[in-house]
Amino acid sequence: VDGDCLGSSFALFLALKKAGKKVSVVLEERIPKTFNFLPGEYLLLDELSQDTVFDIVICIDSSDEKRINKRLFLLEGGKSINIDHHISNTEYAMYNYVDASCSATGEIVFDIINYLKIPINIDIAINLYTAIASDTGGFRYSNTTANTHIVAASLISVGINIAKVNRIIFDTISIFKLKLISEAIDNLELYENGKIAVIALGRDMIENAGALEEDMDGLSSFPRSVEGVEVGIILTERENGKIRISFRSNEYIDVAKVAMKFGGGGHKRAGGCTLETDMLTAKKEVIGAVISEIKGDNG
Amino acid sequence: VDGDCLGSSFALFLALKKAGKKVSVVLEERIPKTFNFLPGEYLLLDELSQDTVFDIVICIDSSDEKRINKRLFLLEGGKSINIDHHISNTEYAMYNYVDASCSATGEIVFDIINYLKIPINIDIAINLYTAIASDTGGFRYSNTTANTHIVAASLISVGINIAKVNRIIFDTISIFKLKLISEAIDNLELYENGKIAVIALGRDMIENAGALEEDMDGLSSFPRSVEGVEVGIILTERENGKIRISFRSNEYIDVAKVAMKFGGGGHKRAGGCTLETDMLTAKKEVIGAVISEIKGDNG
């Protein structure tokens, strides 16, 4: 669960409760501790009694049935509604409200709550603001539209402390991630006149830093941010010994194309793949593939 | 000059030119290279012929005459206008348009251009967006209001590539700053059960990293972002041998109060001072002062 999924779910939960409905948010795992500040409650699927039947099941920010995973059986009992903004949504529910022009599912839930004429209070506003800020990288990504800002304006008017929310979701680094960043910088290598930045983190470095998988995921866009770099690559050796590789580009290189050569995928500006080889071989291969892409050498 | 000052100046320059006026932007120094992407032109004061007389001089984002510095004589010839959002503005001009409720001077310039009925094109919109995004830390600081977002919505509607602008102003790190970050992390110390984070950077470390003064200023809020930290302190040894100290707090410690004990100043959440002593003494003194403040021991 990410900020959009959680914020949108809690916002709708609080709004429907205010409207007198009996509602539960059902998750499979505990939420990341970053989001403990969000007003709302949830049940874990394991805590639900086996014979629970909901009249209506609403799936939030879930593009396909794989995301609903073990909770899929809950959709069988009654009506199902699917509210999402992913263009890849498979419209698996009885009723599907999918709008890929929205930056976040939070933008859609904002409209729904307004349509239901339920007043947006501070708790609902904090959740919707977190949902939208999370999925737009704080209004920085290209999915941010004029409407995204208009919704943010409306949420701020309710009186939320946005500085605090932004500090929690964007400007709080664990001491373990900090050490990992230091390792990452010390291991940064530039290729092709500084157009490619590569960071390779072996198990020893990751374990020395005491870093978790979530700390590593947060580093993906780090090498791309170095001045002059077009493609940033991070290779991390995972616990199972496999090498996970993430690619990010800034302007013109289609990194999904590169990732696909190694059985991975993604978008033009963000891609990834996993290799079952040693770190040095993996590094050499992916750098070679990116250089070919930069040189337009696709034969 | 920062993003708000430059973006607001260029925006008004382009708008007035479109309205058929003869306009120049006059600066004292070349702009930081981060802002080279902004559409607009400027003259350096040194390039201006000594007998230049302007009918109207407009001071942008300048709270007092010290900021106008060597350009002050230009205000003598004709009418002067002062457009700013700093609460400390001294209203030094013939006409003063100061609105401290605005997050950025860019928000005021947006209103002025609209009032003049000059259409906002892409070039003007890029400048105003940069002005506002810069001064709000990308809509993250507490100065961000509903109106800030409404203006942003209007600027995005013009069709600017906000992802690119945000990448340039927020997500581009020089290799020198990167090395300085690595040094900073390696030197980070925690005190008072992790409530205080301190980074001390001596001349040797700064010179090893090849870092500039502007790289150091960008690090100020770094120690405060460590999980659990209330007060972040960075001490940097400057070229003149003096120790520059910056304090940042998150929630409850008034760091201006601490900085004032050492002859400095600031706001509740951001303060600074300069000490003429060695690094170890400076560090010990400022940590002691922050601990006293945390313990409420103000006697």
Side-chain angles (χ1 to χ4, degrees):
Chain A
V1 289
D2 64 13
D4 185 23
C5 176
L6 257 181
S8 297
S9 299
F10 282 166
L12 195 56
F13 163 80
L14 294 171
L16 292 174
K17 256 181 67 169
K18 266 183 76 176
K21 307 291 172 192
K22 237 180 112 183
V23 212
S24 302
V25 174
V26 181
L27 303 177
E28 289 186 20
E29 290 173 5
R30 299 234 157 264
I31 65 176
K33 68 180 192 306
T34 305
F35 296 116
N36 278 341
F37 76 99
L38 288 178
E41 296 159 32
Y42 65 94
L43 290 172
L44 288 178
L45 183 60
D46 297 341
E47 297 165 359
L48 213 63
S49 74
Q50 281 292 47
D51 53 354
T52 306
V53 179
F54 293 107
D55 295 330
I56 302 175
V57 173
I58 308 175
C59 304
I60 302 278
D61 201 42
S62 305
S63 53
D64 56 50
E65 294 176 330
K66 261 189 265 172
R67 295 264 192 150
I68 302 166
N69 203 18
K70 293 186 206 155
R71 292 163 295 178
L72 207 51
F73 77 94
L74 294 171
L75 277 74
E76 286 159 21
K79 289 178 180 160
S80 62
I81 302 174
N82 161 18
I83 302 173
D84 188 29
H85 74 121
H86 291 94
I87 198 159
S88 55
N89 191 290
T90 56
E91 311 219 334
Y92 48 81
M94 201 175 286
Y95 303 96
N96 301 283
Y97 186 165
V98 179
D99 185 350
S101 76
C102 287
S103 67
T105 299
E107 243 180 272
I108 304 173
V109 171
F110 173 84
D111 281 344
I112 293 173
I113 295 174
N114 281 329
Y115 180 81
L116 295 173
K117 295 197 166 51
I118 302 167
I120 291 183
N121 62 16
I122 286 193
D123 284 352
I124 295 173
I126 289 175
N127 278 301
L128 291 178
Y129 182 89
T130 301
I132 294 168
S134 296
D135 256 27
T136 57
F139 309 98
R140 287 183 190 176
Y141 301 156
S142 56
N143 61 351
T144 309
T145 65
N147 189 58
T148 314
H149 280 287
I150 287 168
V151 173
S154 173
L155 296 172
I156 287 185
S157 302
V158 176
I160 54 179
N161 182 344
I162 62 139
K164 188 170 177 180
V165 172
N166 284 311
R167 194 162 45 72
I168 294 172
I169 61 179
F170 295 117
D171 291 329
T172 305
I173 314 178
S174 76
I175 198 87
F176 311 110
K177 185 169 176 181
L178 217 54
K179 285 185 187 160
L180 197 65
I181 291 173
S182 170
E183 284 282 3
I185 295 172
D186 296 346
N187 285 284
L188 185 112
E189 294 172 10
L190 296 175
Y191 294 88
E192 288 291 296
N193 293 319
K195 284 204 204 81
I196 305 175
V198 182
I199 293 169
L201 296 171
R203 278 305 325 146
D204 52 335
M205 301 174 195
I206 294 165
E207 279 164 15
N208 275 344
L212 304 171
E213 301 274 308
E214 65 190 66
D215 294 321
M216 284 186 268
D217 294 334
L219 280 187
S220 304
S221 52
F222 190 67
R224 153 176 82 173
S225 65
V226 177
E227 199 174 8
V229 166
E230 168 59 19
V231 180
I233 310 172
I234 286 204
L235 301 97
T236 46
E237 187 181 348
R238 298 298 162 120
E239 279 175 33
N240 56 14
K242 292 180 187 174
I243 310 293
R244 176 78 199 151
I245 298 144
S246 89
F247 302 93
R248 294 287 185 276
S249 68
N250 278 326
E251 296 251 9
Y252 53 89
I253 295 297
D254 182 348
V255 291
K257 232 168 107 181
V258 178
M260 279 191 289
K261 285 187 187 163
F262 299 100
H267 323 281
K268 278 189 183 177
R269 301 286 165 260
C273 61
T274 302
L275 289 186
E276 297 191 40
T277 170
D278 62 296
M279 182 61 93
L280 275 179
T281 310
K283 202 170 104 177
K284 213 178 134 190
E285 286 192 9
V286 297
I287 293 171
V290 172
I291 291 177
S292 295
E293 192 59 35
I294 287 181
K295 293 192 168 156
D297 175 20
N298 305 311
Chain B
V1 289
D2 64 14
D4 186 22
C5 177
L6 258 183
S8 297
S9 300
F10 282 166
L12 195 56
F13 164 79
L14 294 172
L16 292 174
K17 257 182 65 169
K18 266 182 76 173
K21 306 291 173 193
K22 237 180 112 184
V23 213
S24 302
V25 175
V26 181
L27 303 177
E28 291 186 19
E29 290 172 5
R30 298 233 158 266
I31 65 176
K33 68 177 190 310
T34 304
F35 297 116
N36 279 341
F37 77 99
L38 289 178
E41 296 158 31
Y42 65 94
L43 291 171
L44 288 178
L45 183 61
D46 296 342
E47 297 165 357
L48 214 63
S49 74
Q50 282 293 45
D51 53 354
T52 307
V53 179
F54 294 105
D55 296 328
I56 302 174
V57 173
I58 308 175
C59 305
I60 302 279
D61 200 43
S62 305
S63 53
D64 56 50
E65 293 174 329
K66 260 189 265 170
R67 295 263 193 147
I68 301 164
N69 204 17
K70 294 185 205 155
R71 292 163 296 179
L72 207 52
F73 76 95
L74 294 170
L75 276 74
E76 288 160 18
K79 289 176 180 158
S80 61
I81 301 174
N82 161 17
I83 302 172
D84 187 29
H85 76 122
H86 290 95
I87 198 158
S88 55
N89 192 290
T90 57
E91 311 217 337
Y92 49 82
M94 202 174 287
Y95 303 96
N96 301 284
Y97 186 167
V98 179
D99 185 350
S101 76
C102 287
S103 67
T105 299
E107 241 181 273
I108 304 173
V109 171
F110 173 83
D111 280 345
I112 292 173
I113 295 175
N114 281 329
Y115 180 81
L116 296 173
K117 295 195 168 50
I118 302 168
I120 292 183
N121 62 16
I122 285 193
D123 284 354
I124 296 174
I126 289 174
N127 277 301
L128 291 177
Y129 183 89
T130 301
I132 294 169
S134 296
D135 256 27
T136 57
F139 309 97
R140 288 184 189 176
Y141 301 157
S142 56
N143 60 352
T144 308
T145 65
N147 189 58
T148 314
H149 280 287
I150 286 168
V151 173
S154 173
L155 296 172
I156 287 184
S157 302
V158 176
I160 54 179
N161 182 343
I162 62 139
K164 188 172 178 178
V165 172
N166 284 312
R167 192 159 48 72
I168 294 172
I169 61 180
F170 295 116
D171 289 328
T172 305
I173 314 177
S174 76
I175 199 88
F176 312 110
K177 186 167 177 185
L178 216 54
K179 284 185 187 160
L180 198 66
I181 291 174
S182 169
E183 283 282 2
I185 295 172
D186 295 345
N187 285 284
L188 184 111
E189 293 172 9
L190 297 174
Y191 294 88
E192 288 293 294
N193 293 320
K195 283 205 202 79
I196 305 174
V198 182
I199 294 169
L201 296 171
R203 278 308 319 149
D204 51 336
M205 299 175 198
I206 294 165
E207 280 163 15
N208 276 344
L212 305 170
E213 302 274 308
E214 64 191 66
D215 293 320
M216 284 186 268
D217 294 335
L219 279 187
S220 304
S221 52
F222 190 67
R224 152 176 81 173
S225 65
V226 178
E227 199 175 10
V229 167
E230 167 60 18
V231 180
I233 309 172
I234 284 204
L235 301 98
T236 47
E237 188 181 349
R238 297 298 163 118
E239 279 175 30
N240 58 13
K242 291 181 187 173
I243 309 292
R244 177 76 200 151
I245 298 142
S246 90
F247 302 93
R248 295 286 185 278
S249 66
N250 278 326
E251 296 250 9
Y252 52 89
I253 294 297
D254 182 348
V255 289
K257 232 169 110 180
V258 177
M260 279 191 288
K261 284 186 186 164
F262 300 101
H267 322 281
K268 279 190 182 176
R269 301 285 166 260
C273 62
T274 301
L275 290 185
E276 298 190 40
T277 171
D278 62 295
M279 183 61 93
L280 274 180
T281 311
K283 201 168 106 175
K284 210 178 136 190
E285 287 191 11
V286 297
I287 292 171
V290 172
I291 291 176
S292 295
E293 191 57 36
I294 286 180
K295 292 192 170 155
D297 174 21
N298 305 311

